[in-house]
Amino acid sequence: MNEIKIVNCPVCKSKQSTHYITTNALMHQSNNEHYVFNKCDSCDSVFLTNPVQELKLNEYYTDNYLPYKGAEAWGKYKSFVKKIQENLDLKRVQVVANNLTTKPFSILDVGCGSPSFLEAVQKKLRANCTGIDFSDNGWKNKNHENISLIKSSIADFNPNHKFDVITLWHYLEHDYNLQETVDKLYQFLNPSGKLIIEVPDYCSITAKKQKQFWQGWHSPRHLTLFSKKGFQKLFTSDKWSVVRHKRFGTLDAFTLWWLGKMEKKKSDWSSSMEREFWPLVFLKIISFPFFIFEKALPMGIQLIILEKK
Ligand SMILES: [Zn+2]
């Protein structure tokens, strides 16, 4: 097995943890892979105790990986799905706009993938945009004027200026060196800047309901799931202050829940999603009375905004 054994909590380094959940590989055609998540006795973070080596991760990011296929996976309904993606980017632009302290401003998006969010920022807010990602698959062969796109890990990234806003949309749960990453983010952020992080919320209703099928585990790609206490340990109060911590985010909790339902019925993730379109629309309608409480009850996504002390 190409596994690493993690004993210490990646957030607070405590050695004391308790088994929390075991999952198969998710959103992946696999048989019996067992991923064991423990919950830290000290900071309540839930972490993967047997992640695959970082170099082996590409086996889980194949051409059939649904987020890579994007709207194209939905065949004749792709324009609807594209619209949903555009709306998500606009919601994220709005979060940035609501947290600006200076204008014009510079922004760094960590794990930018296909940089549609930065394109939307550029278009709506005219920022100085930078995106980094460990892979350039999201932007190569495309022309992105006015956006600086760099193939780099956060550890190797050495920008020549600081940023007014740094965004991590579903990046931090994938990170292999959390404390080093947080130190880098501190270095990169301007004194008056804002750090915006969105991650899954394992303390949510959808996580409790869907158990090992919940897509927030996304094993083995997700390594750490955060609690409020975990954030406090990672973003220590001598350096950081929390501006806002919301138990909902920009990603629709319904989408996360729907992916978990697909996982449970052993969906073939490599096939076209076209025939899933109308069942999805139907589910969206009947679950509306439940997800209408998304802003009142934790449904699966959390957003935290921090600034330097
Ligand atoms: Zn811990």
Side-chain angles (χ1 to χ4, degrees):
M1 283 289 260
N2 293 297
E3 281 182 359
I4 313 165
K5 272 273 157 237
I6 303 288
V7 178
N8 293 15
C9 165
V11 171
C12 76
K13 304 288 178 207
S14 164
K15 281 187 170 59
Q16 310 300 322
S17 64
T18 313
H19 177 259
Y20 191 75
I21 201 162
T22 300
T23 72
N24 200 339
L26 301 188
M27 207 184 271
H28 186 69
Q29 300 311 123
S30 67
N31 298 316
N32 275 319
E33 295 183 36
H34 293 285
Y35 293 102
V36 180
F37 287 87
N38 277 15
K39 183 177 175 182
C40 172
D41 293 348
S42 167
C43 78
D44 297 340
S45 300
V46 174
F47 60 96
L48 184 54
T49 60
N50 59 334
V52 299
Q53 289 173 12
E54 225 171 332
L55 287 170
K56 288 270 166 193
L57 263 187
N58 53 4
E59 291 171 21
Y60 299 88
Y61 291 104
T62 64
D63 290 343
N64 283 328
Y65 181 52
L66 189 60
Y68 280 5
K69 289 200 286 184
E72 294 299 322
W74 294 85
K76 62 183 173 192
Y77 303 110
K78 68 179 178 193
S79 53
F80 284 96
V81 179
K82 213 164 169 237
K83 193 82 207 143
I84 293 168
Q85 176 66 41
E86 283 167 14
N87 285 340
L88 175 64
D89 288 330
L90 290 178
K91 269 162 102 176
R92 291 176 174 174
V93 170
Q94 196 54 52
V95 173
V96 171
N98 293 346
N99 285 284
L100 284 181
T101 43
T102 55
K103 247 183 162 182
F105 69 102
S106 57
I107 179 168
L108 168 67
D109 187 34
V110 180
C112 64
S114 167
S116 61
F117 160 68
L118 286 176
E119 283 171 7
V121 172
Q122 177 64 32
K123 199 168 154 196
K124 298 279 174 191
L125 305 173
R126 299 254 162 247
N128 170 353
C129 297
T130 305
I132 62 168
D133 204 298
F134 69 92
S135 159
D136 59 1
N137 279 340
W139 67 78
K140 68 179 173 196
N141 307 324
K142 286 181 209 149
N143 190 19
H144 292 283
E145 270 180 49
N146 305 323
I147 301 179
S148 169
L149 295 165
I150 300 155
K151 183 182 170 182
S152 172
S153 67
I154 193 157
D156 297 331
F157 183 52
N158 281 305
N160 55 13
H161 65 91
K162 289 185 191 279
F163 298 90
D164 300 308
V165 180
I166 302 180
T167 50
L168 289 82
W169 304 112
H170 297 267
Y171 171 83
L172 205 62
E173 64 273 38
H174 296 262
D175 195 280
Y176 275 75
N177 300 294
L178 278 174
Q179 290 184 342
E180 293 81 353
T181 294
V182 171
D183 288 346
K184 281 278 190 173
L185 294 171
Y186 189 82
Q187 264 178 48
F188 298 162
L189 193 65
N190 259 333
S192 59
K194 294 281 193 300
L195 176 62
I196 300 173
I197 298 170
E198 187 171 292
V199 287
D201 181 358
Y202 85 87
C203 301
S204 60
I205 296 169
T206 56
K208 286 182 180 134
K209 201 111 194 94
Q210 296 189 309
K211 301 191 170 69
Q212 74 271 30
F213 304 108
W214 185 60
Q215 275 300 328
W217 306 122
H218 213 48
S219 1
R221 307 170 193 90
H222 288 182
L223 305 190
T224 316
L225 283 299
F226 304 91
S227 64
K228 190 178 174 188
K229 228 167 153 183
F231 279 125
Q232 285 166 351
K233 287 274 180 189
L234 200 56
F235 297 95
T236 51
S237 59
D238 56 328
K239 287 185 161 179
W240 297 94
S241 47
V242 177
V243 178
R244 214 162 290 119
H245 183 192
K246 298 189 216 179
R247 303 290 294 279
F248 64 92
T250 58
L251 188 74
D252 202 357
F254 167 82
T255 306
L256 191 74
W257 175 74
W258 175 80
L259 288 167
K261 277 189 92 65
M262 295 290 286
E263 191 72 55
K264 193 171 181 179
K265 72 169 199 184
K266 297 195 188 311
S267 169
D268 176 6
W269 295 105
S270 63
S271 69
S272 166
M273 287 286 132
E274 203 173 88
R275 65 200 154 93
E276 300 296 343
F277 182 79
W278 288 111
L280 182 145
V281 171
F282 176 70
L283 264 180
K284 175 98 185 165
I285 293 165
I286 61 162
S287 66
F288 180 73
F290 176 66
F291 285 101
I292 201 167
F293 296 108
E294 186 167 351
K295 291 189 178 172
L297 299 166
M299 297 286 191
I301 310 288
Q302 52 180 335
L303 181 75
I304 186 162
I305 300 169
L306 300 121
E307 60 187 7
K308 281 178 163 184
K309 273 218 165 133

